[in-house]
Each structure stands twice: as C-alpha cells, then as structure tokens.
Amino acid sequence: MNMKERLRKRVSELTALIGISGYEWDVAKYIYEAIKDDVDSIEQLPNGTVVALKKGVHPGPRTLLTAHMDEVGYEVKSISSSGFLYFDQIGGATIACLPGRRVLVKTDHGVIPGVVGVRAGHMLTPEQLAKPQTVNQSYVDIFVSSREEAEALGVHTGTQVVPDSPCTSMGPDGDYVCTRAADDRALCAVIIETVKELKSEDIHGELVIVFNVLEETTIKAIYAPAAKYKPTRGLFLDTIPCGDVPDCNFEKELPVALKKGPVILRSQMIFSMAMRTSSHPKLVKALQEAAEEAHVPHQEFAFNGAGYITDAVSGVYAAEGMAVATLALPRRYSHSPVEVFHMDDICATQAVVEGFLKKDIDINML
C-alpha cells in the first residue's frame, strides 16, 4: 500500500473513534497498538498522553514531535425525566452546524445514535428564524421515554456526544476527504506512518513522540511530557483553516489554500489569552529545505489576528525552553462536522515531516 492509501486508511480509522477533549482514551489505545513495535519505548502518562521514544544512531539532542488526540464536541450535563439529553459545548465546536444533525452518543455500553432536536419550523417566530439555535436551547433525542431508560443504556452526565460524520472521499478523484475530527487525527496519522518509515540510521539524537491531550480546551498539557523528557526543540503538527472559500477574503484574511501543501506557521497569537509564539528560524529553514528536497509545495503564514493557536504556544515555555515550529495541514470548515482536507496536502505534510526529522539541525542563534 502506498503512502497516500496508508494515510487515507489511518485517517478513516482514527476519525471513527470518539475522543473529545479530556476523553482521549480510545484514541490513545489505538495509537499505542499502532506504533508499539516501531519505537524503542512507549508509555501512557497518567493524564492520558501517549509518549514514545525512537533512538537514533547519530549523536544529537532530543526532538519533540507532537499532535493532539482530542477533538471538539459535546458532553452530556443532565438527562430530563423524559430521557432527553442536555449538553455543553467542549472546545470551539461550531454549534450552528449541530441542530437537526444526527449524532453519536458514546455510552458505557457502546455507541448509540441520536439526533439534535430542533423546534418545528411551523412554530418558529421571525425572531427565532433570524438567530441560530444555541447550546442552551438544544437537546439530544435518543428515542427513549424516561431518564431511567437512558441510564440503562449507559448514558450519564459526562457522556460524550459528537456529530455522526463518517470519513468520506469526495471530488472527481476522491482525494478530498470530508470528516469530523480531522483536527487533529489527520496529523496523528502522519506521525504514525512517519514513525513506521523512520529507521534509527535516519535519526540524530532521540525522537520524543507525543500524542497529546486537551489541546482543544487548554493548550497546556504539553507541559507534562516536556517536563519529563526535556526536549530542546519541538515540531508541532496541527491543522489550519483555509481562506480559499467564498466567505473569506483570501489575500487579506487567510492566504491558505487546499492543494498547495502544508503551512509553515511563522507565528501565532491569541490576544485574549495573552499567548503567542513564533517558529524558530533554524527550524523554519529546515522545514523549507525538507519541502524542497521532497519536491512538494508548501505555504507560509503568520496567524495573529484570529482565534487560532496550537500547543506550540505552551511548548516554547515548557521543559527548559524549547525551540518550536508548527507545521499545519490546510483544511476547510474547521471545527465543524465536515472538515475537508486534500490527500495531496497530507502526503506532502508527511514527506516534509520525515525529511525534517532526518536533519541534524543546529538551533544556536549566537
């Protein structure tokens, strides 16, 4: 199976799993089993993070490679006496996409289907028609008649709810992929397949491979593995929104497009959270060289004017002060049930990551 089909299969399997922020256990188990025979050691930290080490034959520092396992979604907060589920939003899920959709409810006994109810169209006032349905106005119908019946199915406060949006190939050539949780399972797939490709002869120093938790809600869980393993530089893999759609000013707001390769994030910032970092110049240069050597396109962007950051903004403070860089996979319709990326981009991302990790990079700037 070639790399494109390997990645397509991995993404399909990973996005079929349910793991909202704070509940990454099933994703962690899959990843553990997928790479345990391809690394020198592997463990799960008490908080759920999976960390593996892959040692190189060449001397060098510890390099962190990471993607996050969690997804945005919803969590049951209470069950009505009639068996309807009220829920809260976890992470930046786009609530406007949810009313009237089918959902999956992950109970203690398995996954069951449900729908997010909507007020009958015949009953909507002009004011209600003009406003999207909020989380507080929403509920999940799992087609039972009492709280006791819902609880018998294994539903309780804390039960996960995600949109029912299976991974689907689209477009004339089938290389547009539509799914929930592409953020960040697509990059988990990239790391899995890259780990399988890399040999010890390819690596300088030691590779610290981290599948992280709670990125969609905290951007802070990277502190734990960084404190334990103390890498000196880190490559953070994530997705990034695209501006190549009618509702975005491509040149002014977001000059990122599908089919133009992965994005090297020059910098990232959220004012409201007082969090910012920039990618280390030596790591940026190594990523640029890796793209050129792999004969794949890449994009570059400084993303400072919107609600976007990655774990790299905490990574720069972690351990003993990591040099960080972020490489992002372009995808449309972020945090919706229909995130879309292109297979050419994910294959290019994998090639750049592999090439980057084979380099002996001196990060000294003095």
Side-chain angles (χ1 to χ4, degrees), residues 155-364:
V155 180
H156 51 76
T157 182
T159 290
Q160 299 176 74
V161 179
V162 296
D164 186 358
S165 184
C167 189
T168 306
S169 294
M170 294 184 171
D173 56 6
D175 278 348
Y176 290 87
V177 177
C178 177
T179 183
R180 56 160 254 279
D183 178 11
D184 195 23
R185 307 279 170 73
L187 282 307
C188 290
V190 166
I191 293 180
I192 290 171
E193 295 305 330
T194 301
V195 167
K196 291 181 176 297
E197 287 294 300
L198 285 173
K199 299 176 175 58
S200 59
E201 293 80 9
D202 298 325
I203 301 170
H204 296 263
E206 193 170 33
L207 189 57
V208 182
I209 305 147
V210 175
F211 295 91
N212 203 26
V213 299
L214 293 168
E215 191 272 350
E216 295 292 0
T217 50
T218 71
I219 322 286
K220 294 179 180 178
I222 198 66
Y223 287 131
K228 182 170 184 177
Y229 291 95
K230 293 182 171 55
T232 59
R233 74 280 313 274
L235 180 59
F236 293 76
L237 304 185
D238 214 321
T239 56
I240 187 170
C242 285
D244 59 347
V245 288
D247 55 17
C248 192
N249 185 321
F250 178 79
E251 293 184 350
K252 182 179 179 180
E253 289 184 290
L254 188 53
V256 173
L258 294 185
K259 299 181 69 173
K260 291 189 176 182
V263 181
I264 300 173
L265 263 292
R266 286 287 190 164
S267 63
Q268 54 195 279
M269 176 173 65
I270 289 185
F271 281 111
S272 62
M273 299 175 68
M275 300 190 79
R276 168 176 161 80
T277 192
S278 56
S279 292
H280 192 283
K282 296 287 187 73
L283 301 184
V284 169
K285 183 179 179 182
L287 288 168
Q288 293 168 334
E289 291 174 349
E292 182 178 354
E293 291 161 3
H295 305 290
V296 297
H298 78 278
Q299 308 171 73
E300 298 187 16
F301 187 47
F303 206 174
N304 296 299
Y308 177 93
I309 49 175
T310 72
D311 272 331
V313 299
S314 292
V316 74
Y317 305 113
E320 296 176 351
M322 267 190 288
V324 303
T326 298
L327 186 69
L329 173 70
R331 54 90 174 88
R332 293 174 181 165
Y333 321 126
S334 59
H335 287 188
S336 81
V338 289
E339 294 184 333
V340 173
F341 67 90
H342 196 275
M343 289 303 304
D344 287 354
D345 290 329
I346 193 172
C347 290
T349 302
Q350 190 282 323
V352 173
V353 171
E354 184 176 340
F356 174 89
L357 294 174
K358 290 178 179 179
K359 292 182 175 295
D360 183 14
I361 307 168
D362 178 8
I363 61 171
N364 183 26

Side-chain angles (χ1 to χ4, degrees), residues 65-235:
L65 174 65
T66 183
H68 65 89
M69 298 184 290
D70 58 319
E71 62 183 296
V72 298
Y74 308 90
E75 183 176 10
V76 173
K77 63 179 178 181
S78 63
I79 307 171
S80 77
S81 58
S82 300
F84 294 101
L85 313 181
Y86 299 110
F87 58 88
D88 283 321
Q89 182 181 6
I90 305 300
T94 306
I95 185 59
C97 299
L98 197 62
R101 286 195 68 98
R102 297 180 181 181
V103 294
L104 301 174
V105 180
K106 190 177 187 308
T107 80
D108 287 347
H109 307 318
V111 177
I112 62 173
V115 298
V116 177
V118 292
R119 184 170 169 81
H122 303 83
M123 302 295 292
L124 291 173
T125 66
E127 291 78 16
Q128 289 171 328
L129 282 168
K131 296 179 180 179
Q133 182 173 309
T134 67
V135 170
N136 287 337
Q137 294 169 323
S138 300
Y139 57 87
V140 174
D141 188 349
I142 57 171
F143 318 110
V144 297
S145 56
S146 69
R147 180 185 297 115
E148 291 75 19
E149 194 175 347
E151 290 173 343
L153 292 174
V155 180
H156 51 76
T157 182
T159 290
Q160 299 176 74
V161 179
V162 296
D164 186 358
S165 184
C167 189
T168 306
S169 294
M170 294 184 171
D173 56 6
D175 278 348
Y176 290 87
V177 177
C178 177
T179 183
R180 56 160 254 279
D183 178 11
D184 195 23
R185 307 279 170 73
L187 282 307
C188 290
V190 166
I191 293 180
I192 290 171
E193 295 305 330
T194 301
V195 167
K196 291 181 176 297
E197 287 294 300
L198 285 173
K199 299 176 175 58
S200 59
E201 293 80 9
D202 298 325
I203 301 170
H204 296 263
E206 193 170 33
L207 189 57
V208 182
I209 305 147
V210 175
F211 295 91
N212 203 26
V213 299
L214 293 168
E215 191 272 350
E216 295 292 0
T217 50
T218 71
I219 322 286
K220 294 179 180 178
I222 198 66
Y223 287 131
K228 182 170 184 177
Y229 291 95
K230 293 182 171 55
T232 59
R233 74 280 313 274
L235 180 59

